[in-house]
Each structure stands twice: as C-alpha cells, then as structure tokens.
C-alpha cells in the first residue's frame, strides 16, 4: 500500500438559487415557495424529491488525508453561504499539490459528478484531476493508464462500486458496511436530514457528521487493503491504532470524535 491517500465525502443541499434561475422565478416568490412547488410537482409525477446532481449545492467536503507523515482530518466548509466555488477549488487544489489516490463510497455515482457540475458553474480549475495522459511528460503518460476519471482505474477508488463489481443492485450502504465491520457507522444524522439541519443553522453539526462518514470510509478502505493483502495483519492493526490515537487527540476540541470512539465496538 502506498501513500498519499485522500478519502473524501461531500454534503450538499438543494440549489434553490439555481432552480430560481432555471425557472425565471419572480423576486417576490420566496425560496421556500420555490422549493415547495418543485416538490409538489415531483410528487404529482411520482418522482423522487431528490434534486439532480447539477442542482446540488456543496456545503462541506470532508477529507481524511494519510501520507508518510501521519493521518489528518480536514473539512472545507461554505460558512458564509457564498463560498461554494472556493470550497470546491480548495478540494481540487489538494489534488494538484499531492496527487493522492482518491477514495470514496459512491463517489462516482454522486460526489464527483456534483463536484464536476459545481466546479463548472463557479469556474474552478482542476488541472491534475482532469489529466488523461494526452500531453507530454512522464506524469502525463502515467495518467493515460491510471487517471481519476476512468471507472476501472485505481487513482480514484470508489470502494462501494468496486465491492459491488460495478453492479448497482449489489451496492451496500456505507453505514451498513461500517457497522458490519465493527466500526461506528453514521452518527447524529443521515443525508436526508442535512437540508433541514442547514435551515436550522446547524452547519457545524453537518460538518461533524460528514467527518464521521469519511472516517468510516477510511476504515473500510483499510479493511479492503487487508483483504487484498495491501496490509498484513500487523500493519492493519497498527493503522487502526493510529486512527484511534489521532481521534483521541482531537476529542479536546472536537467532541464528536469522543462520541465516535465511544460507539466503536
């Protein structure tokens, strides 16, 4: 197993501003009314109330970054309701700096398409991410055979997609697999509650929830590495111990990690 590795997860809410723009909604109609009308229309058509990827506004991108120097947890957060583009750019800047292996749970099905669309909307630059080996130089040639975009390459590993053998009907929820493997699983909320939590001003709770999700993903990635012999038993135990040690050090300022550790059986 080689470093660096960047495990990521996003939390998003409906882009009501974008919906207003697409429908040319008058200014005197409230956001709540715009959203309610859209929900009613979807209900009448027997469709899901989940906004399409291009109308998902990114609130938080949480990351677990593992390299030879250690393990870090960090989140890019839109705290002023005006920094979505900056948040997405910071994420892609991290890829430019480190060229890590990306790891996600359903990142190909949701997180990355959302980041693509939102990056387009905000004029984000993601040079390393979109490299497909079409130019010159050794790095470019390497990316031709192992890039972030190809579903069957490993530079981005969608762990859920791979474990399901790329068969959607075989997909498993992150919470379920985390708990089956002895990890804490989801704490505090689930994805369906994020919008209402944001409306209630609970952005930091959303950020904490996203961080515990991404830690679950990292632990499942470690278990996967053990299964494919990227870790032997001793190395796997050492990595899990490092996670616990790192999170214990964070509990002083971030109490959700104390709850996470307490839930870890």
């Amino acid at each position: 197993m080689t470093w660096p590795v960047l495990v990521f997860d996003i939390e998003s809410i409906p882009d009501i501003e974008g919906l207003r723009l697409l429908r040319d909604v008058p200014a005197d109609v409230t956001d709540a009314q715009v959203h309610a009308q859209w929900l009613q229309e979807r209900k009448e058509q027997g469709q899901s109330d989940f906004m399409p990827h291009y109308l998902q506004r990114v609130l938080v991108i949480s990351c677990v970054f593992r390299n030879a120097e250690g393990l870090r947890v960090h989140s890019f957060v839109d705290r002023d309701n005006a920094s979505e583009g900056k948040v997405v750019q910071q994420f892609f800047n991290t890829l430019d700096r480190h060229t890590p292996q990306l790891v996600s749970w359903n990142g190909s099905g949701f997180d990355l398409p959302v980041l693509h669309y939102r990056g387009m909307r905000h004029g984000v630059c993601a040079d390393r991410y979109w490299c497909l080996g079409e130019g010159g130089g050794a790095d470019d040639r390497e990316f031709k055979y192992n890039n972030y975009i190809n579903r069957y390459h490993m530079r981005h590993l969608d762990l859920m997609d791979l474990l399901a053998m790329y068969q959607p009907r075989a997909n498993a929820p992150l919470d379920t697999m985390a708990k089956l493997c002895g990890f804490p699983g989801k704490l505090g909320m689930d994805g369906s509650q994020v919008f209402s939590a944001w409306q209630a001003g609970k952005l930091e709770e959303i950020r904490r929830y996203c961080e515990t999700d991404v830690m679950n993903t990292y632990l499942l990635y470690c278990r996967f590495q053990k299964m494919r012999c990227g870790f032997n038993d001793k190395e796997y135990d050492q990595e899990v111990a490092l996670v616990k040690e790192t999170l214990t050090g964070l509990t002083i300022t971030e109490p959700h990690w104390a709850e996470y550790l307490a839930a870890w059986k």
Side-chain angles (χ1 to χ4, degrees):
M1 181 168 170
T2 58
W3 314 120
V5 170
L6 179 68
V7 186
F8 74 103
D9 183 52
I10 75 170
E11 296 302 331
S12 60
I13 60 172
D15 177 18
I16 307 301
E17 179 185 350
L19 189 60
R20 296 182 71 101
L21 176 65
L22 294 176
R23 296 189 163 203
D24 195 22
V25 178
D28 60 348
V29 180
T30 68
D31 285 355
Q33 290 172 324
V34 173
H35 190 218
Q37 181 181 0
W38 185 84
L39 290 174
Q40 183 60 35
E41 291 173 5
R42 299 283 288 188
K43 182 178 180 180
E44 291 172 354
Q45 296 166 5
Q47 295 177 315
S48 166
D49 62 0
F50 193 73
M51 284 277 186
H53 292 67
Y54 55 86
L55 284 176
Q56 292 286 336
R57 180 184 146 203
V58 177
L59 284 181
V60 180
I61 306 175
S62 289
C63 304
V64 171
F65 184 71
R66 176 69 163 100
N67 64 4
E69 299 173 4
L71 181 77
R72 299 198 299 275
V73 184
H74 181 73
S75 293
F76 305 110
V77 186
D78 180 5
R79 289 193 168 89
D80 61 4
N81 294 329
S83 299
E84 181 189 27
K86 180 180 179 181
V87 165
V88 177
Q89 184 66 73
Q90 288 173 324
F91 172 76
F92 284 116
N93 286 348
T94 303
L95 269 62
D96 284 349
R97 285 195 300 271
H98 301 287
T99 317
Q101 178 181 24
L102 272 184
V103 179
S104 67
W105 193 272
N106 195 33
S108 296
F110 181 72
D111 305 69
L112 286 175
V114 170
L115 292 173
H116 296 170
Y117 289 125
R118 306 311 288 183
M120 285 275 286
R121 182 168 189 188
H122 293 288
V124 163
C125 179
D127 180 45
R128 201 65 169 159
Y129 176 78
W130 288 108
C131 180
L132 298 176
E134 296 168 343
D139 287 342
D140 282 344
R141 287 196 295 271
E142 177 188 344
F143 271 70
K144 183 175 182 179
Y145 304 102
N146 186 21
N147 56 66
Y148 289 116
I149 308 306
N150 191 301
R151 187 182 196 181
Y152 306 109
H153 290 176
M154 295 291 281
R155 198 175 289 277
H156 167 233
L157 170 61
D158 183 336
L159 192 53
M160 185 192 78
D161 201 27
L162 176 62
L163 292 174
M165 287 298 294
Y166 312 108
Q167 301 295 322
R169 61 185 176 182
N171 287 347
L174 172 63
D175 182 55
T176 299
M177 280 307 302
K179 288 176 178 175
L180 285 173
C181 291
F183 305 129
K186 289 182 179 293
L187 296 177
M189 68 177 75
D190 61 46
S192 67
Q193 300 169 307
V194 167
F195 188 35
S196 59
W198 176 79
Q199 291 173 313
K202 299 179 180 179
L203 181 59
E204 289 307 307
E205 291 185 23
I206 296 169
R207 189 262 304 172
R208 296 184 192 108
Y209 158 68
C210 192
E211 288 181 354
T212 57
D213 255 11
V214 81
M215 186 55 70
N216 285 322
T217 306
Y218 181 67
L219 289 167
L220 286 173
Y221 172 71
C222 291
R223 183 65 65 94
F224 168 71
Q225 287 296 339
K226 180 181 178 182
M227 183 169 67
R228 69 186 295 265
C229 299
F231 280 145
N232 60 36
D233 288 347
K234 181 180 179 180
E235 290 168 337
Y236 172 78
D237 290 341
Q238 289 174 337
E239 193 65 20
V240 170
L242 174 63
V243 170
K244 290 183 175 180
E245 178 185 352
T246 301
L247 297 184
T248 299
L250 296 174
T251 57
I252 299 173
T253 56
E254 295 286 2
H256 63 292
W257 292 122
E259 180 185 1
Y260 189 84
L261 290 168
W264 195 336
K265 300 178 182 178

